[in-house]
Amino acid sequence: MTLDPRVHLPPIELLKKLISIPSPYPHENPLAEWIGDYLKQFQFHVTYLEVKGRKNIVAKKGTGKALLLFGHLDTVPLQGVEDLNPHAPDDLRQINARASELRWESPPYEPSLRKGKLYGSGAIDMKAGLAAIIHAGTKLPEDYFQSTELILAFSVDEEFLDQGMAALLKSRTFEHAQGCICPEIIDTGELIDIPETPDIGTILLGRRGRIAIEVQLRGQAAHGATPSAGVNAIELAGQVVAHIKKSLAEGALALGSHPILPPASMTPLKIQGGTSSLSVPDRCTIEYDRHFVPPETPETVQEDLRRCLSEILTPNQFKISLAPRPTPYLMPYAISQEASIVNATLSVLKARDIPITIAGGNSVADENMLASPVYPPEIRHNIPTVDIGCKGGNFHKENEWVDLESFQDLASILKEICIKWAN
Ligand SMILES: [Zn+2]
């Protein structure tokens, strides 16, 4: 790999470089290697922690109380060309040839500057954050590292199954970190109406948790010509979907609320059943998405649902369980506002006269695993984590962008927070 000259890249050049190295999962390695090589130039001790051949990065420098800056390397694959690998020249040519058909106004992996916005896949989610971390980490004065250990950690697979974060946590390589900043997209509940992330000043001190619940329905098979002789599991599924929707609307099936996190939510994601023979289908499965907030737990959520379905079904007609997932589900968290990382963040924002909003994240992220206290000991890290981000939009879709002025502020603010926290 050819590396840029041994100089600091200014934040915008750094961001452009990161956008120009595609990293849709599972193709993160070229980006991981470039970042690792860049950090080594600034005396970071860089290790790659591989999960199924994909490289997480942990870069450490200094000694003393430990601060973690965390980001994810992967971006979501472009819809319509998910199977193409942008690191294969033929595939990349195809992606670029189809850019306008995919509704991109410029090639997705070539940073393009228009009216103060930098466009490109991953621009706001979260290459701007990665560039801010790398800028902050490499611009701190050398004496900073005499009393502080700065750990930069970058994961793979955040946008899919969080396999990178799960591996990082199992390695316990940064379990001693006393605080964490993650410059991730700030997806507060209000984003439903505004397709942009807020400017710097809105910080996330928690996120909702999320599970997928399977409702397995059992009817009674019969010849399809005599449907009344059986119980059609697909019709049971229809009743279940309608009953849950009505119970949610009337509040009979309660959804949790929390002082800073967006309210809990529930919606069906998948329905699977039926038979190719002329028989009344006797089984059907519905998968529900359930975002939840403390004090709700996966157990209380399933118990409430069981009670709700008992109103229309007999016990042998249904079974409720968590949908299988190879990595742990993402549990909710809300950190203490007294945490030193919160204090450091707030005081830097106040010193710059930036209006502050404290919020909770709508969606789940690797930070759930890092910060939630409710994991079993082999995973649990319980590191107070603050999400701070800049202004951008169109994340997870075409023409993703980041506001350059806002990004530059983020890069310098992140460095100031590191200094404030250490003092
Ligand atoms: Zn993200």
Side-chain angles (χ1 to χ4, degrees):
M1 173 178 315
T2 52
L3 193 62
D4 290 339
R6 283 176 171 259
V7 289
H8 272 111
L9 290 176
I12 292 180
E13 294 311 309
L14 194 51
L15 174 56
K16 284 182 178 167
K17 183 75 201 175
L18 299 185
I19 291 174
S20 73
I21 307 173
S23 59
Y25 68 77
H27 306 295
E28 302 97 343
N29 280 2
L31 180 65
E33 285 158 14
W34 190 89
I35 292 175
D37 286 349
Y38 189 81
L39 292 173
K40 280 178 198 166
Q41 298 179 92
F42 301 98
Q43 288 74 52
F44 276 88
H45 179 74
V46 174
T47 37
Y48 295 109
L49 205 145
E50 290 192 21
V51 52
K52 294 178 186 160
R54 295 158 65 185
K55 292 177 175 172
N56 291 301
I57 309 174
V58 180
K60 296 180 177 177
K61 184 173 178 178
T63 174
K65 61 176 192 167
L67 177 63
L68 175 65
L69 304 183
F70 167 73
H72 62 82
L73 296 168
D74 57 320
T75 62
V76 285
L78 305 178
Q79 288 198 46
V81 285
E82 288 93 340
D83 297 338
L84 299 183
N85 173 4
H87 296 292
D90 280 351
D91 284 10
L92 183 61
R93 258 192 300 278
Q94 229 190 103
I95 291 170
N96 287 338
R98 293 180 59 191
S100 64
E101 176 201 327
L102 303 170
R103 291 192 241 144
W104 279 85
E105 285 165 19
S106 50
Y109 299 117
E110 290 171 24
S112 167
L113 182 60
R114 304 196 289 277
K115 292 184 184 160
K117 292 175 174 178
L118 191 66
Y119 289 81
S121 180
I124 184 70
D125 188 10
M126 59 171 286
K127 295 201 167 171
L130 298 180
I133 291 174
I134 296 164
H135 172 78
T138 56
K139 283 299 245 184
L140 286 161
E142 284 307 311
D143 63 359
Y144 180 83
F145 299 97
Q146 285 163 17
S147 57
T148 309
E149 180 188 9
L150 188 68
I151 307 168
L152 314 185
F154 305 98
S155 69
V156 297
D157 201 48
E158 195 270 352
E159 299 285 10
F160 188 41
L161 288 169
D162 309 278
Q163 298 181 85
M165 178 53 91
L168 283 168
L169 295 178
K170 276 184 200 136
S171 79
R172 309 214 75 90
T173 176
F174 48 63
E175 66 179 341
H176 55 296
Q178 289 149 276
C180 173
I181 292 270
C182 177
E184 170 64 294
I185 52 167
I186 301 300
D187 60 331
T188 60
E190 284 100 69
L191 280 182
I192 296 159
D193 302 318
I194 312 161
E196 288 185 4
T197 54
D199 210 338
I200 295 168
T202 301
I203 60 170
L204 304 183
L205 299 189
R207 287 182 176 275
R208 302 195 297 174
R210 191 250 163 191
I211 51 174
I213 303 174
E214 272 183 4
V215 180
Q216 294 175 53
L217 298 165
R218 196 69 196 264
Q220 176 71 58
H223 194 287
T226 54
S228 58
V231 177
N232 190 320
I234 291 178
E235 290 177 349
L236 289 182
Q239 289 170 33
V240 164
V241 171
H243 184 67
I244 291 176
K245 191 169 166 105
K246 180 166 171 272
S247 303
L248 289 171
E250 291 171 351
L253 179 57
L255 293 171
S257 60
H258 186 273
I260 70 154
L261 303 179
S265 62
M266 179 170 186
T267 195
L269 294 179
K270 211 191 286 177
I271 195 160
Q272 210 161 22
T275 163
S276 47
S277 69
L278 182 54
S279 305
V280 171
D282 70 348
R283 56 198 74 193
C284 186
T285 300
I286 315 170
E287 186 178 312
Y288 270 90
D289 170 78
R290 179 68 157 84
H291 276 77
F292 63 104
V293 296
E296 293 179 324
T297 67
E299 291 72 32
T300 64
V301 162
Q302 290 176 87
E303 194 42 51
D304 289 349
L305 184 59
R306 203 166 284 125
R307 211 172 308 121
C308 175
L309 294 185
S310 300
E311 293 163 12
I312 58 163
L313 299 174
T314 62
N316 57 5
Q317 282 182 315
F318 73 102
K319 212 172 102 190
I320 288 171
S321 58
L322 287 182
R325 191 178 197 265
T327 40
Y329 272 109
L330 297 168
M331 295 293 127
Y333 69 96
I335 68 165
S336 162
Q337 299 197 18
E338 308 301 313
S340 59
I341 193 67
V342 180
N343 282 329
T345 305
L346 293 180
S347 74
V348 168
L349 293 173
K350 277 177 194 154
R352 286 189 173 222
D353 279 329
I354 295 172
I356 294 165
T357 305
I358 288 176
N362 211 22
S363 184
V364 287
D366 273 358
E367 298 90 279
N368 290 74
M369 242 190 252
L370 196 56
S372 179
V374 300
Y375 283 103
E378 62 271 20
I379 295 275
R380 183 169 58 234
H381 274 52
N382 202 11
I383 299 174
T385 300
V386 173
D387 277 17
I388 182 169
C390 57
K391 192 170 163 172
N394 291 340
F395 38 96
H396 291 223
K397 60 182 288 195
E398 65 275 7
N399 302 315
E400 183 174 351
W401 58 272
V402 60
D403 181 285
L404 272 190
E405 209 181 304
S406 182
F407 157 70
Q408 283 179 293
D409 286 345
L410 175 67
S412 65
I413 283 171
L414 198 58
K415 183 183 145 202
E416 284 172 35
I417 296 171
C418 292
I419 293 167
K420 192 83 201 172
W421 182 85
N423 288 333

